[in-house]
């Protein structure tokens, strides 16, 4: 599985594609999984991927980057309005075009926070299969094609290249151990994705205070992107093929509605904050937190801006979805 993902990443890198190692590994893993299901990453590999991903993302929290945080509140307000608009428009599409119950439609329309959405769907007795198809299709297409779309339209022109400074092995060990300890603490209090959030938090503190400068070595970053890509691509193997075929047209329509609304809100948010429109697109794109933050890092975008927006959206969806669905009339057909 990892070898297949590495081949996809290397192919995209050879072709000069943006965010090659992440998008290429994910796309080839997904294609192969459709033909023959691939085994999931073993838990130690998955946990290591989350830990190192968080450590890499936290390295963007330099003192200079934190100085720009004062410009974010206006953009975050736009984000919250945008999340509501995405859910309402995409949910209405699935409700009135696909004739789905409102509960299924709103859960499938939720932008990102897949694990939270599926947990709520399980609790509410919603149709997890079709919700997963729409959610995973949106994530896979975003990671595979958003970088190329930005490059083709010139949206990513002028994006800064991430600093090439790499930390030494001892510092890398200290960063990961700090992230592991904080991650265990987050796990004790029941926080979702504790290792990733813990590593991001620890790395952010160490970098923002100037105690650590630089990120993990590039070979390590490439391995992390390959592992993350294989994890995302392999998820499609768990969806029944007949559901995939039947829901594919609806997934395309739902993706189109979500993206149009997201990008409409990304433009004023980027303008208010003074970041590039490419960073705005990545911040408002309705994908998963870890995938979109790593995608932004790989493309040289404003990772702190993108990551903070996806984190806020993740938290808001997790808190708001149960309250919203509690007020939605259960209009599923009774057997």
């Amino acid at each position: 599985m990892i070898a297949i993902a590495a081949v996809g990443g290397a192919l995209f890198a050879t072709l000069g594609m943006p965010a090659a190692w992440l998008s290429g590994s994910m796309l080839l893993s997904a294609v192969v999984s459709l033909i023959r299901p691939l085994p999931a990453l073993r838990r130690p590999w998955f946990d290591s991927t989350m830990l190192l991903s968080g450590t890499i993302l936290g390295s963007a929290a330099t003192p200079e980057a934190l100085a720009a945080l004062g410009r974010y509140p206006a953009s975050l307000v736009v984000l919250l309005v945008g999340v509501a608009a995405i859910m309402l428009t995409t949910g209405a599409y699935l409700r009135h075009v696909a004739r789905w119950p409102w509960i299924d439609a709103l859960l499938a329309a939720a932008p990102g926070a897949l694990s939270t959405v599926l947990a709520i769907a399980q609790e509410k007795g919603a149709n997890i299969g079709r919700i997963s198809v729409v959610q995973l299709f949106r994530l896979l297409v975003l990671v595979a094609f958003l970088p190329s779309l930005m490059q083709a339209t010139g949206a990513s022109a002028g994006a800064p290249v991430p600093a090439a400074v790499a930390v030494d092995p001892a510092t890398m060990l200290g960063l990961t151990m700090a992230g592991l300890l904080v991650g265990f603490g987050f796990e004790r209090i029941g926080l979702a994705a504790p290792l990733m959030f813990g590593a991001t938090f620890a790395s952010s503190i160490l970098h923002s205070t100037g105690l650590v400068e630089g990120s993990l070595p590039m070979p390590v970053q490439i391995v992390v992107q390959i592992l993350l890509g294989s994890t995302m691509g392999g998820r499609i193997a768990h969806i029944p093929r007949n559901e995939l075929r039947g829901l594919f047209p609806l997934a395309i329509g739902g993706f189109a509605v979500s993206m149009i609304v997201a990008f409409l809100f990304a433009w004023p948010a980027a303008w208010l904050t003074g970041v590039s429109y490419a960073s705005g697109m990545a911040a408002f794109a309705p994908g998963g937190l870890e995938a979109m933050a790593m995608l932004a890092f790989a493309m040289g975008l404003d990772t702190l801006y993108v990551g903070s927006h996806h984190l806020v959206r993740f938290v808001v969806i997790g808190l708001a979805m149960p309250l919203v669905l509690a007020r939605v009339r259960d209009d599923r057909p009774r057997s």
Side-chain angles (χ1 to χ4, degrees):
M1 177 179 179
I2 297 174
I4 291 171
V7 169
L11 178 61
F12 269 42
T14 302
L15 295 174
M17 304 290 283
W21 292 102
L22 179 62
S23 56
S25 60
M26 186 278 300
L27 187 58
L28 187 58
S29 296
V31 170
V32 174
S33 292
L34 287 173
I35 302 170
R36 180 180 180 181
L38 296 173
L41 278 183
R42 294 181 181 273
R43 188 57 187 263
W45 285 89
F46 178 79
D47 288 345
S48 299
T49 301
M50 293 298 99
L51 180 66
L52 293 173
S53 295
T55 304
I56 293 169
L57 296 176
S59 67
T62 62
E64 295 78 17
L66 290 180
L69 279 176
R71 303 198 307 266
Y72 291 3
S75 180
L76 290 172
V77 171
V78 177
L79 173 75
L80 296 179
V81 178
V83 167
I86 290 171
M87 290 192 63
L88 287 174
T89 53
T90 309
Y93 164 82
L94 293 172
R95 167 62 179 166
H96 297 295
V97 174
R99 300 295 182 183
W100 286 12
W102 268 115
I103 288 180
D104 291 2
L106 289 174
L107 284 168
L114 177 60
S115 57
T116 301
V117 166
L118 294 183
I120 296 173
Q122 178 82 25
E123 180 184 344
K124 295 290 184 180
N127 190 317
I128 294 179
R130 60 187 179 190
I131 291 169
S132 300
V133 170
V134 173
Q135 288 274 358
L136 285 175
F137 178 85
R138 188 166 58 217
L139 176 61
L140 295 177
V141 173
L142 274 172
V143 176
F145 299 112
L146 183 61
S148 298
L149 174 64
M150 289 181 179
Q151 188 177 65
T153 59
S156 61
V161 177
V165 178
V167 297
D168 57 66
T171 304
M172 176 177 166
L173 178 62
L175 278 170
T176 53
M177 289 300 100
L180 187 63
L181 290 174
V182 178
F184 284 154
F186 283 179
E187 187 175 39
R188 290 290 297 273
I189 63 176
L191 192 67
L195 287 180
M196 181 178 179
F197 287 149
T200 301
F201 182 80
S203 181
S204 297
I205 295 297
L206 292 171
H207 282 87
S208 63
T209 55
L211 293 174
V212 175
E213 293 184 6
S215 188
L216 302 189
M218 186 54 64
V220 176
Q221 295 186 28
I222 290 174
V223 170
V224 170
Q225 292 180 52
I226 290 172
L227 292 173
L228 189 58
S230 68
T231 300
M232 292 186 295
R235 286 175 179 173
I236 203 168
H238 304 292
I239 301 174
R241 299 297 179 269
N242 58 333
E243 286 195 52
L244 275 176
R245 287 192 295 270
L247 293 172
F248 187 68
L250 292 174
I252 293 176
F255 172 79
V257 173
S258 298
M259 293 300 292
I260 290 171
V261 176
F263 289 171
L264 285 176
F265 280 88
W267 180 81
W271 177 77
L272 285 170
T273 314
V275 301
S276 67
Y277 183 55
S279 293
M281 290 170 69
F284 278 70
L289 168 63
E290 69 281 359
M292 299 312 300
M294 282 300 297
L295 186 66
F297 187 88
M299 293 188 66
L301 305 180
D302 190 330
T303 309
L304 191 61
Y305 176 81
V306 175
S308 64
H309 282 62
H310 281 281
L311 178 59
V312 167
R313 183 169 64 194
F314 181 91
V315 172
V316 168
I317 289 176
L319 294 176
M321 283 297 291
L323 300 176
V324 171
L325 293 179
R327 300 177 182 275
V328 174
R329 182 172 59 89
D330 189 352
D331 53 352
R332 287 170 291 179
R334 303 296 178 184
S335 55

